[in-house]
Amino acid sequence: MERIVQQGLLYDFYGELLTEHQRHVYEEVVIHDLSLSEIAQEQGISRQGVHDLIKRCDRLLEGYEKKLHLVEKFRLTKELAGEVQKLLDEYMKKEEPDLLVRARNLAGKIVEV
């Protein structure tokens, strides 16, 4: 499951850097959960060809992440925003100044991204 989530995130961030053909085949596997055989038949290529294309796309997407770290930064931002939310929740139990309420709402929006 973790692998599928990671593939989805990498595709969300870097998918536009793939060719149209690569994007189409990758989406069929990762997003639509089609089998390699189904895609091979649809594309008119071998099952091994689909497998190789998916592996190549995985390597490309992982390479982009190693260079740019966008997924890593996204996860860290989301984690930090969650911590901010928890701290603000604790503070709001004692007092309720308008600024803290607004800060809490902003942190919530970051977490939802």
Side-chain angles (χ1 to χ4, degrees):
M1 184 66 163
E2 175 70 25
R3 176 75 182 144
I4 294 170
V5 171
Q6 179 68 7
Q7 283 179 310
L9 277 173
L10 288 172
Y11 183 76
D12 286 346
F13 278 86
Y14 307 113
E16 290 298 315
L17 299 173
L18 300 174
T19 68
E20 186 176 334
H21 177 68
Q22 289 171 327
R23 277 195 313 270
H24 176 73
V25 172
Y26 202 79
E27 285 177 4
E28 294 294 304
V29 171
V30 175
I31 296 171
H32 302 296
D33 199 29
L34 294 180
S35 71
L36 298 181
S37 298
E38 291 171 317
I39 298 164
Q41 185 176 9
E42 174 189 305
Q43 294 293 315
I45 57 178
S46 69
R47 185 184 177 286
Q48 184 63 44
V50 174
H51 178 266
D52 292 346
L53 180 63
I54 297 303
K55 290 297 177 192
R56 192 172 328 119
C57 289
D58 281 338
R59 282 193 305 274
L60 283 169
L61 296 174
E62 289 167 3
Y64 295 137
E65 176 60 15
K66 283 180 184 175
K67 291 176 184 169
L68 301 171
H69 306 284
L70 296 178
V71 174
E72 178 186 334
K73 290 174 186 174
F74 170 75
R75 285 184 169 160
L76 178 61
T77 300
K78 199 166 178 167
E79 180 183 323
L80 292 173
E83 289 179 33
V84 169
Q85 269 186 315
K86 287 177 188 174
L87 292 172
L88 289 170
D89 283 343
E90 288 178 31
Y91 183 80
M92 287 173 55
K93 288 177 185 175
K94 299 174 185 170
E95 300 191 26
E96 220 174 292
D98 185 50
L99 278 178
L100 288 178
V101 172
R102 288 175 37 205
R104 164 85 178 67
N105 291 336
L106 286 173
K109 288 180 182 179
I110 292 170
V111 171
E112 291 173 6
V113 170

